[in-house]
Amino acid sequence: MNGHATGTFDITNWTDLATEEKAGATFGRNHIAKTFHGDLAGTSTTEILTVVTPEGPAAYVGVEHFEGTLHGRKGTFALQHSAASHNGEQWMKWQIVPTSGTGELAGLTGEGTIRAEDGHHYLLDYTLPDA
């Protein structure tokens, strides 16, 4: 089955784990907790690696573990993040890690985007084996 999930999430905790100043950039490592609303309902934990430059462009990569429901199907899965900004434009993408789905989400694949405008909004296009 092919599906489309949308909704929002709240960042419920942000912990700075490490920061390192380098010539031209600051590198960081962070642990984030989230609560999801909408077609995804549940919680997640995320580890990200960040880079910020003095002129403002930034980027991050990360991995996230989600636990909850996707359109009412219960389970867990992992997401891989990639994001950057430049000249006021930003993009944030995520991809479901293949074979990471458990429970009723076993076999889940797909990818999506995150938009940080008036909160955090997600879009996830996915494929899930029929029940």
Side-chain angles (χ1 to χ4, degrees), residues 30-81:
N30 309 93
H31 179 82
I32 304 166
K34 301 176 187 172
T35 300
F36 283 80
H37 314 281
D39 298 330
L40 283 171
T43 59
S44 74
T45 56
T46 307
E47 291 266 339
I48 63 171
L49 298 174
T50 63
V51 61
V52 179
T53 66
E55 290 78 31
Y60 78 84
V61 295
V63 290
E64 180 168 4
H65 183 262
F66 173 85
E67 182 174 359
T69 61
L70 169 61
H71 284 128
R73 293 177 70 166
K74 187 174 182 173
T76 67
F77 60 92
L79 293 159
Q80 176 183 334
H81 289 250

mmCIF file of all heavy atoms in Angstrom, residues 30-81:
data_model
loop_
_atom_site.group_PDB
_atom_site.id
_atom_site.type_symbol
_atom_site.label_atom_id
_atom_site.label_comp_id
_atom_site.label_asym_id
_atom_site.label_seq_id
_atom_site.Cartn_x
_atom_site.Cartn_y
_atom_site.Cartn_z
ATOM 1 N N ASN A 30 23.910 16.806 19.044
ATOM 2 C CA ASN A 30 22.740 17.074 19.867
ATOM 3 C C ASN A 30 21.840 15.845 19.955
ATOM 4 O O ASN A 30 21.779 15.035 19.027
ATOM 5 C CB ASN A 30 21.917 18.222 19.271
ATOM 6 C CG ASN A 30 22.760 19.430 18.982
ATOM 7 O OD1 ASN A 30 23.252 19.574 17.877
ATOM 8 N ND2 ASN A 30 22.963 20.273 19.957
ATOM 9 N N HIS A 31 21.109 15.755 21.067
ATOM 10 C CA HIS A 31 20.093 14.720 21.287
ATOM 11 C C HIS A 31 18.751 15.444 21.388
ATOM 12 O O HIS A 31 18.626 16.415 22.148
ATOM 13 C CB HIS A 31 20.378 13.943 22.568
ATOM 14 C CG HIS A 31 19.367 12.891 22.858
ATOM 15 N ND1 HIS A 31 19.405 11.649 22.280
ATOM 16 C CD2 HIS A 31 18.269 12.912 23.641
ATOM 17 C CE1 HIS A 31 18.375 10.945 22.711
ATOM 18 N NE2 HIS A 31 17.672 11.695 23.543
ATOM 19 N N ILE A 32 17.767 14.989 20.607
ATOM 20 C CA ILE A 32 16.473 15.665 20.529
ATOM 21 C C ILE A 32 15.360 14.653 20.794
ATOM 22 O O ILE A 32 15.411 13.521 20.302
ATOM 23 C CB ILE A 32 16.268 16.278 19.128
ATOM 24 C CG1 ILE A 32 17.419 17.228 18.795
ATOM 25 C CG2 ILE A 32 14.927 16.992 19.027
ATOM 26 C CD1 ILE A 32 17.487 17.612 17.332
ATOM 27 N N ALA A 33 14.350 15.063 21.557
ATOM 28 C CA ALA A 33 13.137 14.267 21.756
ATOM 29 C C ALA A 33 11.972 15.009 21.118
ATOM 30 O O ALA A 33 11.913 16.248 21.188
ATOM 31 C CB ALA A 33 12.877 14.040 23.242
ATOM 32 N N LYS A 34 11.058 14.277 20.486
ATOM 33 C CA LYS A 34 9.927 14.884 19.781
ATOM 34 C C LYS A 34 8.636 14.141 20.111
ATOM 35 O O LYS A 34 8.657 12.946 20.418
ATOM 36 C CB LYS A 34 10.113 14.806 18.259
ATOM 37 C CG LYS A 34 11.347 15.475 17.729
ATOM 38 C CD LYS A 34 11.442 15.219 16.239
ATOM 39 C CE LYS A 34 12.748 15.703 15.653
ATOM 40 N NZ LYS A 34 12.900 15.280 14.265
ATOM 41 N N THR A 35 7.513 14.856 19.960
ATOM 42 C CA THR A 35 6.181 14.268 20.008
ATOM 43 C C THR A 35 5.503 14.594 18.685
ATOM 44 O O THR A 35 5.469 15.766 18.272
ATOM 45 C CB THR A 35 5.352 14.832 21.179
ATOM 46 O OG1 THR A 35 6.032 14.536 22.401
ATOM 47 C CG2 THR A 35 3.964 14.222 21.211
ATOM 48 N N PHE A 36 4.973 13.561 18.012
ATOM 49 C CA PHE A 36 4.338 13.713 16.703
ATOM 50 C C PHE A 36 2.825 13.738 16.817
ATOM 51 O O PHE A 36 2.232 13.028 17.635
ATOM 52 C CB PHE A 36 4.735 12.546 15.785
ATOM 53 C CG PHE A 36 6.124 12.668 15.235
ATOM 54 C CD1 PHE A 36 7.221 12.313 16.006
ATOM 55 C CD2 PHE A 36 6.333 13.132 13.956
ATOM 56 C CE1 PHE A 36 8.505 12.426 15.505
ATOM 57 C CE2 PHE A 36 7.616 13.253 13.440
ATOM 58 C CZ PHE A 36 8.704 12.899 14.220
ATOM 59 N N HIS A 37 2.202 14.543 15.938
ATOM 60 C CA HIS A 37 0.755 14.684 15.856
ATOM 61 C C HIS A 37 0.340 14.549 14.393
ATOM 62 O O HIS A 37 1.086 14.933 13.495
ATOM 63 C CB HIS A 37 0.322 16.061 16.371
ATOM 64 C CG HIS A 37 0.975 16.449 17.666
ATOM 65 N ND1 HIS A 37 0.548 15.972 18.881
ATOM 66 C CD2 HIS A 37 2.035 17.241 17.917
ATOM 67 C CE1 HIS A 37 1.323 16.471 19.828
ATOM 68 N NE2 HIS A 37 2.236 17.248 19.273
ATOM 69 N N GLY A 38 -0.845 14.034 14.152
ATOM 70 C CA GLY A 38 -1.338 13.890 12.787
ATOM 71 C C GLY A 38 -1.321 12.438 12.379
ATOM 72 O O GLY A 38 -1.628 11.550 13.179
ATOM 73 N N ASP A 39 -0.955 12.177 11.128
ATOM 74 C CA ASP A 39 -0.937 10.805 10.616
ATOM 75 C C ASP A 39 0.107 9.945 11.313
ATOM 76 O O ASP A 39 -0.049 8.727 11.419
ATOM 77 C CB ASP A 39 -0.702 10.802 9.107
ATOM 78 C CG ASP A 39 -1.818 11.514 8.347
ATOM 79 O OD1 ASP A 39 -2.970 11.503 8.826
ATOM 80 O OD2 ASP A 39 -1.529 12.096 7.285
ATOM 81 N N LEU A 40 1.198 10.567 11.773
ATOM 82 C CA LEU A 40 2.160 9.921 12.666
ATOM 83 C C LEU A 40 1.801 10.377 14.079
ATOM 84 O O LEU A 40 1.710 11.584 14.325
ATOM 85 C CB LEU A 40 3.594 10.361 12.376
ATOM 86 C CG LEU A 40 4.314 9.778 11.178
ATOM 87 C CD1 LEU A 40 5.632 10.510 10.950
ATOM 88 C CD2 LEU A 40 4.556 8.300 11.376
ATOM 89 N N ALA A 41 1.586 9.451 14.988
ATOM 90 C CA ALA A 41 1.283 9.798 16.377
ATOM 91 C C ALA A 41 2.214 8.990 17.260
ATOM 92 O O ALA A 41 2.213 7.756 17.208
ATOM 93 C CB ALA A 41 -0.172 9.491 16.711
ATOM 94 N N GLY A 42 3.053 9.688 18.020
ATOM 95 C CA GLY A 42 3.990 8.983 18.882
ATOM 96 C C GLY A 42 5.132 9.876 19.285
ATOM 97 O O GLY A 42 5.035 11.104 19.247
ATOM 98 N N THR A 43 6.240 9.242 19.652
ATOM 99 C CA THR A 43 7.420 9.964 20.117
ATOM 100 C C THR A 43 8.657 9.461 19.388
ATOM 101 O O THR A 43 8.650 8.366 18.805
ATOM 102 C CB THR A 43 7.616 9.792 21.634
ATOM 103 O OG1 THR A 43 7.768 8.398 21.925
ATOM 104 C CG2 THR A 43 6.430 10.366 22.413
ATOM 105 N N SER A 44 9.715 10.265 19.459
ATOM 106 C CA SER A 44 10.968 9.844 18.846
ATOM 107 C C SER A 44 12.147 10.426 19.600
ATOM 108 O O SER A 44 12.004 11.388 20.360
ATOM 109 C CB SER A 44 11.038 10.282 17.373
ATOM 110 O OG SER A 44 11.264 11.673 17.291
ATOM 111 N N THR A 45 13.301 9.826 19.365
ATOM 112 C CA THR A 45 14.576 10.380 19.808
ATOM 113 C C THR A 45 15.476 10.480 18.589
ATOM 114 O O THR A 45 15.444 9.612 17.711
ATOM 115 C CB THR A 45 15.244 9.522 20.896
ATOM 116 O OG1 THR A 45 15.405 8.194 20.407
ATOM 117 C CG2 THR A 45 14.419 9.513 22.174
ATOM 118 N N THR A 46 16.250 11.559 18.534
ATOM 119 C CA THR A 46 17.089 11.850 17.373
ATOM 120 C C THR A 46 18.473 12.265 17.845
ATOM 121 O O THR A 46 18.602 12.987 18.827
ATOM 122 C CB THR A 46 16.482 13.008 16.549
ATOM 123 O OG1 THR A 46 15.127 12.711 16.249
ATOM 124 C CG2 THR A 46 17.252 13.239 15.269
ATOM 125 N N GLU A 47 19.488 11.818 17.143
ATOM 126 C CA GLU A 47 20.861 12.293 17.334
ATOM 127 C C GLU A 47 21.261 13.002 16.051
ATOM 128 O O GLU A 47 21.096 12.447 14.955
ATOM 129 C CB GLU A 47 21.820 11.128 17.575
ATOM 130 C CG GLU A 47 21.624 10.432 18.885
ATOM 131 C CD GLU A 47 22.513 10.964 19.996
ATOM 132 O OE1 GLU A 47 23.553 11.585 19.702
ATOM 133 O OE2 GLU A 47 22.159 10.743 21.164
ATOM 134 N N ILE A 48 21.732 14.264 16.163
ATOM 135 C CA ILE A 48 22.163 14.992 14.979
ATOM 136 C C ILE A 48 23.585 15.512 15.156
ATOM 137 O O ILE A 48 24.034 15.772 16.272
ATOM 138 C CB ILE A 48 21.220 16.163 14.617
ATOM 139 C CG1 ILE A 48 21.185 17.227 15.699
ATOM 140 C CG2 ILE A 48 19.824 15.654 14.284
ATOM 141 C CD1 ILE A 48 20.441 18.492 15.290
ATOM 142 N N LEU A 49 24.273 15.648 14.031
ATOM 143 C CA LEU A 49 25.566 16.315 13.940
ATOM 144 C C LEU A 49 25.335 17.576 13.130
ATOM 145 O O LEU A 49 24.736 17.519 12.047
ATOM 146 C CB LEU A 49 26.599 15.422 13.250
ATOM 147 C CG LEU A 49 26.916 14.102 13.942
ATOM 148 C CD1 LEU A 49 27.836 13.256 13.074
ATOM 149 C CD2 LEU A 49 27.534 14.346 15.307
ATOM 150 N N THR A 50 25.780 18.720 13.645
ATOM 151 C CA THR A 50 25.511 20.002 13.002
ATOM 152 C C THR A 50 26.793 20.724 12.638
ATOM 153 O O THR A 50 27.855 20.482 13.225
ATOM 154 C CB THR A 50 24.691 20.922 13.933
ATOM 155 O OG1 THR A 50 25.473 21.209 15.098
ATOM 156 C CG2 THR A 50 23.378 20.280 14.342
ATOM 157 N N VAL A 51 26.676 21.643 11.688
ATOM 158 C CA VAL A 51 27.750 22.578 11.360
ATOM 159 C C VAL A 51 27.098 23.927 11.077
ATOM 160 O O VAL A 51 26.094 24.003 10.381
ATOM 161 C CB VAL A 51 28.620 22.098 10.173
ATOM 162 C CG1 VAL A 51 27.821 21.947 8.901
ATOM 163 C CG2 VAL A 51 29.802 23.035 9.960
ATOM 164 N N VAL A 52 27.658 24.978 11.674
ATOM 165 C CA VAL A 52 27.179 26.347 11.474
ATOM 166 C C VAL A 52 28.390 27.205 11.143
ATOM 167 O O VAL A 52 29.430 27.094 11.783
ATOM 168 C CB VAL A 52 26.478 26.883 12.749
ATOM 169 C CG1 VAL A 52 26.016 28.317 12.538
ATOM 170 C CG2 VAL A 52 25.315 25.997 13.149
ATOM 171 N N THR A 53 28.246 28.082 10.146
ATOM 172 C CA THR A 53 29.330 28.983 9.769
ATOM 173 C C THR A 53 29.015 30.396 10.253
ATOM 174 O O THR A 53 27.848 30.717 10.517
ATOM 175 C CB THR A 53 29.537 28.988 8.242
ATOM 176 O OG1 THR A 53 28.372 29.545 7.635
ATOM 177 C CG2 THR A 53 29.797 27.583 7.715
ATOM 178 N N PRO A 54 30.015 31.259 10.371
ATOM 179 C CA PRO A 54 29.768 32.633 10.842
ATOM 180 C C PRO A 54 28.776 33.401 9.960
ATOM 181 O O PRO A 54 28.056 34.260 10.443
ATOM 182 C CB PRO A 54 31.149 33.291 10.806
ATOM 183 C CG PRO A 54 32.105 32.161 10.931
ATOM 184 C CD PRO A 54 31.455 31.006 10.211
ATOM 185 N N GLU A 55 28.708 33.115 8.675
ATOM 186 C CA GLU A 55 27.810 33.819 7.763
ATOM 187 C C GLU A 55 26.383 33.286 7.841
ATOM 188 O O GLU A 55 25.493 33.800 7.177
ATOM 189 C CB GLU A 55 28.303 33.734 6.311
ATOM 190 C CG GLU A 55 29.561 34.549 6.054
ATOM 191 C CD GLU A 55 30.820 33.847 6.574
ATOM 192 O OE1 GLU A 55 30.862 32.603 6.583
ATOM 193 O OE2 GLU A 55 31.743 34.551 7.001
ATOM 194 N N GLY A 56 26.152 32.217 8.603
ATOM 195 C CA GLY A 56 24.794 31.732 8.807
ATOM 196 C C GLY A 56 24.425 30.413 8.176
ATOM 197 O O GLY A 56 23.582 29.717 8.714
ATOM 198 N N PRO A 57 24.978 30.021 7.019
ATOM 199 C CA PRO A 57 24.578 28.719 6.487
ATOM 200 C C PRO A 57 24.859 27.610 7.497
ATOM 201 O O PRO A 57 25.832 27.659 8.251
ATOM 202 C CB PRO A 57 25.439 28.551 5.243
ATOM 203 C CG PRO A 57 25.723 29.946 4.813
ATOM 204 C CD PRO A 57 25.871 30.716 6.109
ATOM 205 N N ALA A 58 23.984 26.642 7.515
ATOM 206 C CA ALA A 58 24.097 25.540 8.461
ATOM 207 C C ALA A 58 23.684 24.253 7.770
ATOM 208 O O ALA A 58 22.998 24.270 6.743
ATOM 209 C CB ALA A 58 23.199 25.792 9.670
ATOM 210 N N ALA A 59 24.082 23.141 8.360
ATOM 211 C CA ALA A 59 23.688 21.837 7.849
ATOM 212 C C ALA A 59 23.670 20.852 9.000
ATOM 213 O O ALA A 59 24.317 21.060 10.026
ATOM 214 C CB ALA A 59 24.660 21.356 6.763
ATOM 215 N N TYR A 60 22.881 19.783 8.825
ATOM 216 C CA TYR A 60 22.924 18.706 9.801
ATOM 217 C C TYR A 60 22.593 17.384 9.146
ATOM 218 O O TYR A 60 21.965 17.328 8.101
ATOM 219 C CB TYR A 60 22.014 18.974 11.008
ATOM 220 C CG TYR A 60 20.537 18.724 10.806
ATOM 221 C CD1 TYR A 60 19.993 17.441 10.959
ATOM 222 C CD2 TYR A 60 19.670 19.752 10.492
ATOM 223 C CE1 TYR A 60 18.634 17.211 10.798
ATOM 224 C CE2 TYR A 60 18.312 19.533 10.330
ATOM 225 C CZ TYR A 60 17.801 18.249 10.482
ATOM 226 O OH TYR A 60 16.463 18.020 10.314
ATOM 227 N N VAL A 61 23.068 16.320 9.768
ATOM 228 C CA VAL A 61 22.705 14.952 9.424
ATOM 229 C C VAL A 61 22.304 14.288 10.734
ATOM 230 O O VAL A 61 22.729 14.703 11.811
ATOM 231 C CB VAL A 61 23.851 14.169 8.744
ATOM 232 C CG1 VAL A 61 24.203 14.780 7.395
ATOM 233 C CG2 VAL A 61 25.070 14.101 9.638
ATOM 234 N N GLY A 62 21.476 13.273 10.642
ATOM 235 C CA GLY A 62 21.062 12.617 11.871
ATOM 236 C C GLY A 62 20.310 11.336 11.624
ATOM 237 O O GLY A 62 19.987 10.990 10.486
ATOM 238 N N VAL A 63 20.057 10.645 12.728
ATOM 239 C CA VAL A 63 19.233 9.446 12.708
ATOM 240 C C VAL A 63 18.198 9.571 13.816
ATOM 241 O O VAL A 63 18.458 10.146 14.871
ATOM 242 C CB VAL A 63 20.064 8.147 12.868
ATOM 243 C CG1 VAL A 63 20.909 7.889 11.623
ATOM 244 C CG2 VAL A 63 20.940 8.203 14.096
ATOM 245 N N GLU A 64 17.007 9.052 13.537
ATOM 246 C CA GLU A 64 15.878 9.205 14.447
ATOM 247 C C GLU A 64 15.174 7.864 14.605
ATOM 248 O O GLU A 64 15.040 7.105 13.643
ATOM 249 C CB GLU A 64 14.908 10.232 13.858
ATOM 250 C CG GLU A 64 13.692 10.506 14.682
ATOM 251 C CD GLU A 64 12.934 11.737 14.194
ATOM 252 O OE1 GLU A 64 13.316 12.328 13.159
ATOM 253 O OE2 GLU A 64 11.953 12.118 14.864
ATOM 254 N N HIS A 65 14.724 7.588 15.819
ATOM 255 C CA HIS A 65 13.948 6.377 16.103
ATOM 256 C C HIS A 65 12.550 6.797 16.523
ATOM 257 O O HIS A 65 12.379 7.473 17.535
ATOM 258 C CB HIS A 65 14.606 5.546 17.206
ATOM 259 C CG HIS A 65 13.874 4.273 17.475
ATOM 260 N ND1 HIS A 65 12.973 4.139 18.505
ATOM 261 C CD2 HIS A 65 13.897 3.087 16.824
ATOM 262 C CE1 HIS A 65 12.476 2.919 18.485
ATOM 263 N NE2 HIS A 65 13.015 2.270 17.477
ATOM 264 N N PHE A 66 11.540 6.407 15.720
ATOM 265 C CA PHE A 66 10.142 6.750 15.974
ATOM 266 C C PHE A 66 9.420 5.546 16.575
ATOM 267 O O PHE A 66 9.614 4.414 16.122
ATOM 268 C CB PHE A 66 9.451 7.156 14.670
ATOM 269 C CG PHE A 66 7.970 7.355 14.823
ATOM 270 C CD1 PHE A 66 7.460 8.567 15.256
ATOM 271 C CD2 PHE A 66 7.085 6.327 14.544
ATOM 272 C CE1 PHE A 66 6.089 8.750 15.413
ATOM 273 C CE2 PHE A 66 5.721 6.497 14.694
ATOM 274 C CZ PHE A 66 5.216 7.707 15.131
ATOM 275 N N GLU A 67 8.557 5.803 17.570
ATOM 276 C CA GLU A 67 7.726 4.764 18.169
ATOM 277 C C GLU A 67 6.303 5.297 18.275
ATOM 278 O O GLU A 67 6.080 6.371 18.844
ATOM 279 C CB GLU A 67 8.232 4.405 19.564
ATOM 280 C CG GLU A 67 7.436 3.304 20.222
ATOM 281 C CD GLU A 67 8.030 2.844 21.547
ATOM 282 O OE1 GLU A 67 9.091 3.366 21.948
ATOM 283 O OE2 GLU A 67 7.419 1.964 22.165
ATOM 284 N N GLY A 68 5.349 4.579 17.677
ATOM 285 C CA GLY A 68 3.962 5.025 17.724
ATOM 286 C C GLY A 68 3.151 4.402 16.617
ATOM 287 O O GLY A 68 3.300 3.209 16.321
ATOM 288 N N THR A 69 2.298 5.227 15.992
ATOM 289 C CA THR A 69 1.429 4.724 14.922
ATOM 290 C C THR A 69 1.565 5.579 13.673
ATOM 291 O O THR A 69 1.822 6.780 13.737
ATOM 292 C CB THR A 69 -0.054 4.709 15.355
ATOM 293 O OG1 THR A 69 -0.461 6.037 15.663
ATOM 294 C CG2 THR A 69 -0.282 3.798 16.541
ATOM 295 N N LEU A 70 1.382 4.934 12.537
ATOM 296 C CA LEU A 70 1.309 5.581 11.235
ATOM 297 C C LEU A 70 -0.042 5.182 10.655
ATOM 298 O O LEU A 70 -0.271 3.997 10.379
ATOM 299 C CB LEU A 70 2.455 5.124 10.333
ATOM 300 C CG LEU A 70 2.377 5.499 8.858
ATOM 301 C CD1 LEU A 70 2.347 7.018 8.676
ATOM 302 C CD2 LEU A 70 3.546 4.890 8.094
ATOM 303 N N HIS A 71 -0.942 6.138 10.541
ATOM 304 C CA HIS A 71 -2.319 5.853 10.108
ATOM 305 C C HIS A 71 -2.899 4.675 10.885
ATOM 306 O O HIS A 71 -3.513 3.773 10.311
ATOM 307 C CB HIS A 71 -2.388 5.596 8.602
ATOM 308 C CG HIS A 71 -2.296 6.848 7.797
ATOM 309 N ND1 HIS A 71 -1.401 6.991 6.768
ATOM 310 C CD2 HIS A 71 -2.968 8.019 7.871
ATOM 311 C CE1 HIS A 71 -1.538 8.196 6.245
ATOM 312 N NE2 HIS A 71 -2.488 8.845 6.901
ATOM 313 N N GLY A 72 -2.664 4.667 12.198
ATOM 314 C CA GLY A 72 -3.244 3.663 13.082
ATOM 315 C C GLY A 72 -2.490 2.353 13.176
ATOM 316 O O GLY A 72 -2.832 1.501 13.989
ATOM 317 N N ARG A 73 -1.450 2.158 12.359
ATOM 318 C CA ARG A 73 -0.651 0.924 12.416
ATOM 319 C C ARG A 73 0.512 1.162 13.371
ATOM 320 O O ARG A 73 1.295 2.088 13.191
ATOM 321 C CB ARG A 73 -0.180 0.522 11.020
ATOM 322 C CG ARG A 73 -1.379 0.101 10.147
ATOM 323 C CD ARG A 73 -0.987 -0.229 8.747
ATOM 324 N NE ARG A 73 -0.224 -1.480 8.689
ATOM 325 C CZ ARG A 73 0.005 -2.140 7.552
ATOM 326 N NH1 ARG A 73 -0.462 -1.677 6.398
ATOM 327 N NH2 ARG A 73 0.712 -3.244 7.561
ATOM 328 N N LYS A 74 0.627 0.291 14.379
ATOM 329 C CA LYS A 74 1.583 0.491 15.471
ATOM 330 C C LYS A 74 2.915 -0.190 15.204
ATOM 331 O O LYS A 74 2.962 -1.322 14.708
ATOM 332 C CB LYS A 74 0.980 -0.052 16.768
ATOM 333 C CG LYS A 74 1.797 0.247 17.986
ATOM 334 C CD LYS A 74 1.098 -0.190 19.248
ATOM 335 C CE LYS A 74 1.967 0.191 20.434
ATOM 336 N NZ LYS A 74 1.311 -0.051 21.693
ATOM 337 N N GLY A 75 3.996 0.511 15.588
ATOM 338 C CA GLY A 75 5.327 -0.063 15.463
ATOM 339 C C GLY A 75 6.394 0.988 15.650
ATOM 340 O O GLY A 75 6.149 2.079 16.181
ATOM 341 N N THR A 76 7.583 0.662 15.193
ATOM 342 C CA THR A 76 8.723 1.569 15.258
ATOM 343 C C THR A 76 9.421 1.576 13.903
ATOM 344 O O THR A 76 9.252 0.646 13.099
ATOM 345 C CB THR A 76 9.743 1.145 16.341
ATOM 346 O OG1 THR A 76 10.352 -0.084 15.953
ATOM 347 C CG2 THR A 76 9.099 0.996 17.704
ATOM 348 N N PHE A 77 10.208 2.622 13.651
ATOM 349 C CA PHE A 77 11.076 2.652 12.471
ATOM 350 C C PHE A 77 12.124 3.734 12.664
ATOM 351 O O PHE A 77 12.008 4.577 13.555
ATOM 352 C CB PHE A 77 10.290 2.868 11.162
ATOM 353 C CG PHE A 77 9.506 4.148 11.080
ATOM 354 C CD1 PHE A 77 10.069 5.292 10.535
ATOM 355 C CD2 PHE A 77 8.196 4.199 11.522
ATOM 356 C CE1 PHE A 77 9.344 6.472 10.447
ATOM 357 C CE2 PHE A 77 7.456 5.364 11.437
ATOM 358 C CZ PHE A 77 8.036 6.508 10.893
ATOM 359 N N ALA A 78 13.153 3.700 11.839
ATOM 360 C CA ALA A 78 14.243 4.671 11.908
ATOM 361 C C ALA A 78 14.223 5.560 10.675
ATOM 362 O O ALA A 78 13.846 5.124 9.581
ATOM 363 C CB ALA A 78 15.588 3.951 12.016
ATOM 364 N N LEU A 79 14.619 6.813 10.881
ATOM 365 C CA LEU A 79 14.714 7.805 9.813
ATOM 366 C C LEU A 79 16.136 8.331 9.722
ATOM 367 O O LEU A 79 16.811 8.498 10.742
ATOM 368 C CB LEU A 79 13.790 8.994 10.104
ATOM 369 C CG LEU A 79 12.305 8.723 10.074
ATOM 370 C CD1 LEU A 79 11.553 9.788 10.860
ATOM 371 C CD2 LEU A 79 11.828 8.688 8.637
ATOM 372 N N GLN A 80 16.581 8.609 8.508
ATOM 373 C CA GLN A 80 17.867 9.252 8.270
ATOM 374 C C GLN A 80 17.591 10.678 7.808
ATOM 375 O O GLN A 80 16.826 10.895 6.870
ATOM 376 C CB GLN A 80 18.636 8.497 7.191
ATOM 377 C CG GLN A 80 19.943 9.139 6.802
ATOM 378 C CD GLN A 80 20.619 8.390 5.670
ATOM 379 O OE1 GLN A 80 20.415 7.200 5.488
ATOM 380 N NE2 GLN A 80 21.418 9.096 4.896
ATOM 381 N N HIS A 81 18.203 11.682 8.472
ATOM 382 C CA HIS A 81 17.986 13.096 8.165
ATOM 383 C C HIS A 81 19.142 13.685 7.367
ATOM 384 O O HIS A 81 20.298 13.323 7.577
ATOM 385 C CB HIS A 81 17.924 13.917 9.462
ATOM 386 C CG HIS A 81 16.706 13.713 10.271
ATOM 387 N ND1 HIS A 81 15.748 14.681 10.399
ATOM 388 C CD2 HIS A 81 16.284 12.666 11.011
ATOM 389 C CE1 HIS A 81 14.788 14.245 11.193
ATOM 390 N NE2 HIS A 81 15.094 13.025 11.582
#
